[in-house]
Amino acid sequence: LSIDLKNVAQTLGADSEAGSRLNELWNRVGQLAEDLHLLSHRLHSSTLDYLGIVAALERLCAEFGDRHSIKVSFVAENVLPNLTEEVRLCLFRVAQEALQNVQKHSYANSAEVRVEVQEQKVHLSISDYGTGFDSGNVSKQKGIGIRSIEERVRLVGGQITLHSKPMKGTKIEVWVPINS
Ligand SMILES: Nc1ncnc2c1ncn2[C@@H]1O[C@H](COP(=O)(O)OP(=O)(O)OP(=O)(O)O)[C@@H](O)[C@H]1O
Ligand SMILES: [Mg+2]
């Protein structure tokens, strides 16, 4: 939004009234982005760092469900060991983006988030029974959500699989080594 505003302001020229109004708006959007950034940092540290990943995911699912009228069930199969800050944040962001996608694209009215430990790895999955899509085509899509999930998971030495077919729902699974 900020870049687009700046471009339009430049096209109109700073001496036109519309151009200078747009410049003002551009400054305010910049300020808003900074505020949001600070706020999201504070939110992240309170839930994730003080309550731990299981409580943070549980809260994310409950809040997401309330906000979007999608019933999100959450299952933590076993007690998770202490995880590094990087791993906690990676898992949390994966769940956030995957749920965002459920809401934006799937038309499902329910979804499931599961987390468990298997063979020294944390296994997180997010599934829905919505419209699904052709998962062979992700690299050709314009969005950056799934690509950023892949990148985050790669950076902590983990793996991701994506199962989706048109009309068959979508499931994203990640495995992240506990001692990554
Ligand atoms: N749960 C889902 N159900 C149906 N389609 C999905 C689901 N998740 C992803 N998709 C499809 O995969 C595409 C790529 O998802 P991705 O998260 O990378 O991008 P986006 O959500 O479109 O944009 P962004 O995440 O950058 O805001 C989506 O545009 C959508 O077509
Ligand atoms: Mg997305």
Side-chain angles (χ1 to χ4, degrees), residues 108-147:
N109 52 19
S110 66
E112 184 179 75
V113 175
R114 293 182 85 89
V115 66
E116 64 195 311
V117 175
Q118 278 179 6
E119 296 167 6
Q120 295 301 303
K121 288 181 183 153
V122 183
H123 176 218
L124 170 72
S125 67
I126 302 94
S127 29
D128 67 67
Y129 299 97
T131 54
F133 68 108
D134 179 1
S135 55
N137 261 333
V138 172
S139 54
K140 296 190 196 114
Q141 305 267 1
K142 267 197 288 174
I144 57 165
I146 290 174
R147 275 180 286 162

Side-chain angles (χ1 to χ4, degrees), residues 3 5 16 25 32 38 40 56 58 83 90 109-110 138 140 161 163 166 170 177-178:
I3 292 168
L5 278 175
S16 74
L25 286 179
L32 191 63
L38 287 173
S40 74
E58 189 169 20
L83 302 170
C90 168
N109 52 19
S110 66
V138 172
K140 296 190 196 114
T161 56
H163 313 269
T170 300
I178 287 170

Side-chain angles (χ1 to χ4, degrees), residues 2 5-6 20-34:
S2 172
L5 278 175
K6 184 77 186 155
S20 77
R21 283 279 295 139
L22 275 177
N23 251 325
E24 265 172 54
L25 286 179
W26 172 65
N27 279 325
R28 280 165 57 191
V29 167
Q31 186 60 50
L32 191 63
E34 210 172 298

Side-chain angles (χ1 to χ4, degrees), residues 97-98 100-101 104-105 143-146:
E97 171 55 28
Q100 205 64 45
N101 278 350
K104 264 170 84 175
H105 308 294
I144 57 165
I146 290 174

Side-chain angles (χ1 to χ4, degrees), residues 60-170:
L60 173 73
C61 293
E63 286 177 357
F64 189 88
D66 288 346
R67 228 180 16 252
H68 301 293
S69 309
I70 297 174
K71 191 180 163 351
V72 185
S73 53
F74 174 70
V75 182
E77 283 285 357
N78 35 27
V79 181
L80 264 59
N82 282 337
L83 302 170
T84 62
E85 198 184 330
E86 285 76 17
V87 171
R88 287 199 300 263
L89 188 59
C90 168
L91 295 169
F92 192 73
R93 294 287 187 239
V94 168
Q96 266 182 325
E97 171 55 28
L99 285 178
Q100 205 64 45
N101 278 350
V102 172
Q103 185 260 324
K104 264 170 84 175
H105 308 294
S106 78
Y107 296 92
N109 52 19
S110 66
E112 184 179 75
V113 175
R114 293 182 85 89
V115 66
E116 64 195 311
V117 175
Q118 278 179 6
E119 296 167 6
Q120 295 301 303
K121 288 181 183 153
V122 183
H123 176 218
L124 170 72
S125 67
I126 302 94
S127 29
D128 67 67
Y129 299 97
T131 54
F133 68 108
D134 179 1
S135 55
N137 261 333
V138 172
S139 54
K140 296 190 196 114
Q141 305 267 1
K142 267 197 288 174
I144 57 165
I146 290 174
R147 275 180 286 162
S148 62
I149 287 181
E150 286 169 348
E151 186 64 9
R152 272 183 188 283
V153 171
R154 191 183 63 80
L155 286 174
V156 292
Q159 282 167 326
I160 167 175
T161 56
L162 183 62
H163 313 269
S164 190
K165 280 201 181 121
M167 305 322 293
K168 291 268 164 69
T170 300

